[in-house]
Amino acid sequence: MKKILKRQWFGFGIWSVLYILFSVWMENLWLLFGLIVLADIFLTRFIPWGAWKRSNNPKISNVLEWIDDILFALVAVYLINLFVFQNYQIPSSSLEKTLLVGDYLFVSKLSYGPRVPNTPISFPLVQNTIPVLNCKSYLDWPEWGYRRVKGTGTVQRNDIVVFNFPAGDTVALKLTNPDYYTLVANEGREAIHANREQYGDVIYRPIDKRENYVKRCVGMPGDSLAVVDNQLFINGVKAKNPEKLQFNYYVETDGSVLTEDQFRLLEVSKSDRHQVSSNPRYHQLLTYMGFTPDSRGQFNPVYCMPLTQKALERVKKIPTVKQVLIEEDEWGTVYPAGYRTGWTRDNFGPLWIPQKGATITLNEHNLALYQRCIGNYEHNTLEISRDGSVRINGSPETTYTFRYDYYFMMGDNRHNSADSRSWGFVPEDHLIGKPILIWLSIDKDRNLFNGGIRWSRMFRWANAD
């Protein structure tokens, strides 16, 4: 047996300490059996771990060394992405102007504690589909249950949170928006499953392979939440609005069009500038809202666009603007899909948010609100008979006690945000992390040589204010 050198013992000691700390953090002492592998890599070397990259040909040997370095880097990045932080790009305007489309963020998984992956065997650094190949990026087996290790804190009210889309457990691949459950409520389950040409295959996705969403947490476990005329109330008390809260407004001018400079003053992107007066489909709505056409039936230019309170004050001061009206409630389908509550986008609730350990009575109303929590999220078999009696996992029940905490998420761009008002609660096992830093911001309305990079936003804290 070869003599073991001091540097071998030193390398083994460093990596062993790090590995033991990781095993304790993961709260899984079975991982300590991995020390046997580390001992062989650094000390005994019974298994020729590096034999695959040895070659008598110097060129081949050099290439194999490069491959070894690349593989090590990929594994390191994969572990960092799983347990420390990941990159995230803002895909939609639901949080503008707090976070903008084109912002690239570092999302801290340490903030709430990283989850042990549900699908441990998966292609690294992609969510659920391998690009180009257009196939699943993960194996269905093994699929582990929910477990989260200790983090630096917990979700706080008004945190901006990245999470897996709760209603993304079942997906019609060719039509992902609206979500599957809204499609079922509107079109019927049989119609969706029968029409593959329009909806595509209907598949199930594990929690960690559902699409990533980012919203603001406005409702905590145990809260009673309501929206009254666009104002959020928590436990009957008016909630503090985000500084850059937005709503959609109809803006009428005296006949002139708004200029590019005026749109930029209002911070309205090109994709949010809708001159609805030029679309005949809006004419009846405009008349209903009080906009008056001329003798030829033509309207002055009317724009529909999202505005912050500051932008609203600015637009009213533009000399050519005649009147500004807030967009009336237009959402037809809100949570829970298929159940009539009378709630709308702008007048929603009151709704109690489930809390771990709390118990509810299983009546018709509560079943409509919480059956997804009981069945889909907490993995029970829920059966409701025609007479209203309930069986959970085969046993008759009149009450249910929640095993998870739940959260209510909303976008700051309130009229352009598909959030908990449309698809419901976010369970604790869907939480990914908290955005901490904007490391790049690209303005899609400009080219790279004319303001395309928002330098003022780079390396700013992605705070929740």
Side-chain angles (χ1 to χ4, degrees):
M1 184 175 178
K2 290 184 178 180
K3 181 181 178 181
I4 300 175
L5 303 176
K6 287 184 178 180
R7 61 181 176 82
Q8 291 176 259
W9 282 109
F10 181 76
F12 173 69
I14 294 295
W15 281 101
S16 294
V17 169
L18 293 174
Y19 187 79
I20 290 170
L21 291 174
F22 177 77
S23 300
V24 172
W25 185 39
M26 290 290 106
E27 300 176 350
N28 187 351
L29 297 183
W30 288 104
L31 291 174
L32 293 178
F33 281 105
L35 290 172
I36 298 172
V37 176
L38 285 178
D40 190 57
I41 291 173
F42 285 96
L43 304 177
T44 57
R45 298 180 178 175
F46 289 127
I47 299 174
W49 299 95
W52 68 274
K53 58 181 181 179
R54 295 177 191 146
S55 173
N56 293 326
N57 187 321
K59 292 184 178 179
I60 295 177
S61 179
N62 190 46
V63 169
L64 293 176
E65 287 288 347
W66 272 100
I67 293 174
D68 182 58
D69 291 339
I70 291 171
L71 288 175
F72 178 82
L74 285 175
V75 170
V77 169
Y78 180 58
L79 291 175
I80 290 171
N81 187 73
L82 276 180
F83 298 112
V84 184
F85 66 81
Q86 73 178 61
N87 179 54
Y88 183 79
Q89 179 189 359
I90 298 296
S92 71
S93 63
S94 68
L95 273 170
E96 291 200 2
K97 295 294 188 287
T98 307
L99 294 176
L100 306 181
V101 173
D103 281 351
Y104 289 79
L105 313 171
F106 285 139
V107 176
S108 168
K109 295 188 173 182
L110 297 175
S111 295
Y112 308 134
R115 297 173 301 182
V116 175
N118 303 108
T119 49
I121 304 177
S122 62
F123 193 83
L125 307 182
V126 296
Q127 183 58 19
N128 48 46
T129 304
I130 298 177
V132 182
L133 299 179
N134 200 31
C135 62
K136 286 198 313 184
S137 64
Y138 58 94
L139 297 182
D140 294 314
W141 187 91
E143 184 177 341
W144 295 343
Y146 167 60
R147 194 161 66 82
R148 186 183 299 275
V149 299
K150 189 174 180 59
T152 59
T154 58
V155 178
Q156 302 297 310
R157 191 185 311 280
N158 289 324
D159 275 1
I160 293 176
V161 181
V162 176
F163 55 92
N164 294 114
F165 180 39
D169 54 350
T170 307
V171 180
L173 289 177
K174 286 188 178 180
L175 188 60
T176 57
N177 188 19
D179 63 82
Y180 171 78
Y181 297 98
T182 301
L183 289 175
V184 168
N186 293 338
E187 308 294 336
R189 191 181 308 274
E190 294 76 14
I192 295 168
H193 286 261
N195 191 348
R196 288 193 174 185
E197 184 177 344
Q198 179 179 354
Y199 299 105
D201 291 331
V202 177
I203 66 167
Y204 167 82
R205 282 178 177 160
I207 293 170
D208 61 343
K209 296 306 175 187
R210 297 168 193 172
E211 296 298 335
N212 294 339
Y213 273 39
V214 58
K215 307 287 180 187
R216 186 183 297 277
C217 177
V218 298
M220 300 290 288
D223 282 347
S224 179
L225 175 146
V227 179
V228 180
D229 293 333
N230 289 311
Q231 175 60 54
L232 177 66
F233 288 82
I234 301 295
N235 301 321
V237 179
K238 183 177 178 181
K240 179 183 177 182
N241 290 326
E243 180 184 349
K244 298 179 180 179
L245 186 71
Q246 290 195 135
F247 298 106
N248 283 349
Y249 293 88
Y250 287 89
V251 179
E252 181 188 21
T253 70
D254 60 5
S256 57
V257 296
L258 295 178
T259 66
E260 179 69 20
D261 288 341
Q262 288 170 330
F263 279 121
R264 291 206 174 276
L265 176 69
L266 303 174
E267 298 183 276
V268 178
S269 66
K270 290 181 179 179
S271 61
D272 286 332
R273 306 169 190 174
H274 306 292
Q275 188 174 340
V276 294
S277 54
S278 61
N279 188 337
R281 292 185 301 173
Y282 280 86
H283 287 183
Q284 185 176 355
L285 172 63
L286 293 176
T287 301
Y288 170 78
M289 292 183 66
F291 295 102
T292 306
D294 60 21
S295 58
R296 298 171 299 166
Q298 300 297 313
F299 289 87
N300 287 331
V302 179
Y303 301 87
C304 182
M305 52 189 173
L307 299 171
T308 63
Q309 183 61 37
K310 184 181 292 186
L312 178 62
E313 293 169 3
R314 287 175 177 174
V315 77
K316 290 179 178 179
K317 294 178 181 178
I318 296 176
T320 57
V321 169
K322 287 182 61 178
Q323 63 174 324
V324 181
L325 300 176
I326 194 168
E327 180 184 85
E328 295 187 8
D329 205 329
E330 294 181 350
W331 278 9
T333 303
V334 295
Y335 181 83
Y339 182 75
R340 294 192 177 187
T341 58
W343 301 346
T344 63
R345 175 193 67 184
D346 300 339
N347 290 276
F348 184 91
L351 175 66
W352 177 77
I353 303 170
Q355 184 176 29
K356 183 187 300 183
T359 300
I360 60 169
T361 301
L362 296 176
N363 53 39
E364 178 190 351
H365 184 68
N366 281 345
L367 285 168
L369 297 178
Y370 305 114
Q371 64 178 333
R372 278 190 56 76
C373 302
I374 299 170
N376 297 59
Y377 304 148
E378 302 197 358
H379 311 294
N380 297 291
T381 301
L382 178 64
E383 302 170 86
I384 306 172
S385 64
R386 291 184 178 181
D387 63 4
S389 60
V390 179
R391 300 179 73 87
I392 297 178
N393 301 324
S395 300
E397 302 287 352
T398 57
T399 62
Y400 181 78
T401 301
F402 292 99
R403 298 200 299 269
Y404 289 163
D405 281 329
Y406 292 81
Y407 302 87
F408 199 92
M409 308 288 183
M410 291 177 69
D412 292 354
N413 194 0
R414 292 285 165 85
H415 285 170
N416 296 299
S417 175
D419 49 37
S420 286
R421 291 170 294 174
S422 58
W423 38 254
F425 310 105
V426 176
E428 64 177 72
D429 64 341
H430 284 57
L431 303 176
I432 296 175
K434 180 179 180 179
I436 55 173
L437 184 72
I438 301 170
W439 64 271
L440 177 65
S441 185
I442 296 177
D443 187 343
K444 65 184 184 337
D445 290 344
R446 300 188 181 190
N447 62 54
L448 292 178
F449 303 102
N450 183 30
I453 297 177
R454 304 184 188 104
W455 296 101
S456 62
R457 293 186 64 80
M458 290 178 60
F459 301 106
R460 287 178 49 184
W461 297 113
N463 57 60
D465 295 331

